[in-house]
Amino acid sequence: MPQFVPITQDALVERLVERVRTLPGRRVIAIDGADAARPLDFAHRTAAALRDTGRSAEVVSLHDYVRPASLRVEFGRDDISYRTAWFDYEALRREVIDAVHKEGRWLPALWDEATDRSARATIRPAAADTVLFIAGPMLLDHYLDFDLTLHLHMSEQALRRTTPPEDHWTIPALLQTSPTPTFFARWDHPDRPALRLTD
């Protein structure tokens, strides 16, 4: 059985920053978690802490890489559509992960979820030491080339407690994930998380 130790969010940020600082050059880090875990908030906190050390850091939200609504709901709202049709992981790979690794550039957003239109974002150059934090659900299930990963894990009970009722249909898909991240944190109670120990 894996062992867990209590940790604060601040300490987890510090630990992640320390690990990222050992990785030179341009890097892409996944902050993987259900929307209820608020991975984007944690990504922004970590990026800010990393910038305080003098390293360039930016954040990309997976929700800026949703597919158009017509494609998202083409086959209804169920766990299969949420896992396979909701987010454009291939575009994320092409425009962010591979682009920053191979070309030193990245696209902050592809699609505006609120207006259901192109985000019309401008491609941005990445400094030689840029770290991009990508935050969102099911990132670890799509064979993306991350340099470091953190999974914010929530149990079914926690997801049902914290996910709006109209989004409960997404929970079965979130429970199917079987991530093997660099860091795995229990996140049922974000004010008192626990970090899984590694061998």
Side-chain angles (χ1 to χ4, degrees):
M1 290 290 292
Q3 291 185 311
F4 289 83
V5 294
I7 192 169
T8 65
Q9 284 201 29
D10 286 344
L12 185 57
V13 167
E14 290 176 7
R15 186 169 296 203
L16 190 55
V17 166
E18 288 174 4
R19 184 67 175 272
V20 172
R21 292 185 69 192
T22 68
L23 304 175
R26 300 184 184 101
R27 300 290 174 169
V28 183
I29 313 301
I31 308 297
D32 175 77
D35 290 344
R38 304 180 69 173
L40 186 61
D41 290 352
F42 191 84
H44 279 296
R45 287 184 61 185
T46 309
L50 187 60
R51 284 193 290 268
D52 286 343
T53 72
R55 186 87 176 258
S56 299
E58 303 288 349
V59 176
V60 175
S61 170
L62 183 60
H63 279 275
D64 288 328
Y65 275 81
V66 293
R67 296 182 187 276
S70 59
L71 298 177
R72 295 201 304 270
V73 299
E74 182 178 6
F75 300 106
R77 294 173 183 262
D78 58 25
D79 60 317
I80 296 175
S81 67
Y82 192 56
R83 288 178 63 81
T84 62
W86 210 260
F87 300 103
D88 197 339
Y89 296 98
E90 283 305 312
L92 183 71
R93 182 199 311 273
R94 181 181 67 249
E95 302 294 343
V96 180
I97 301 171
D98 288 351
V100 78
H101 279 146
K102 299 175 181 178
E103 302 171 36
R105 62 167 183 85
W106 59 290
L107 183 67
L110 183 68
W111 199 256
D112 188 316
E113 190 172 15
T115 64
D116 199 35
R117 296 178 182 272
S118 170
R120 300 188 181 276
T122 302
I123 292 174
R124 297 176 59 177
D129 67 343
T130 293
V131 177
L132 290 183
F133 292 89
I134 301 179
M138 302 174 290
L139 287 169
L140 305 188
D141 298 321
H142 294 272
Y143 306 101
L144 300 171
D145 187 20
F146 295 115
D147 297 293
L148 203 68
T149 57
L150 165 66
H151 176 64
L152 307 178
H153 179 78
M154 300 187 80
S155 67
E156 180 175 1
Q157 294 82 359
L159 285 170
R160 293 197 177 280
R161 186 179 70 246
T162 56
T163 302
E166 63 270 22
D167 293 329
H168 276 195
W169 64 273
T170 65
I171 293 175
L174 297 167
L175 294 174
Q176 290 179 43
T177 59
S178 54
T180 54
T182 314
F183 296 99
F184 182 105
R186 283 181 173 163
W187 215 251
D188 282 7
H189 301 281
D191 57 332
R192 50 183 193 279
L195 183 65
R196 185 169 66 190
L197 296 177
T198 56
D199 295 332

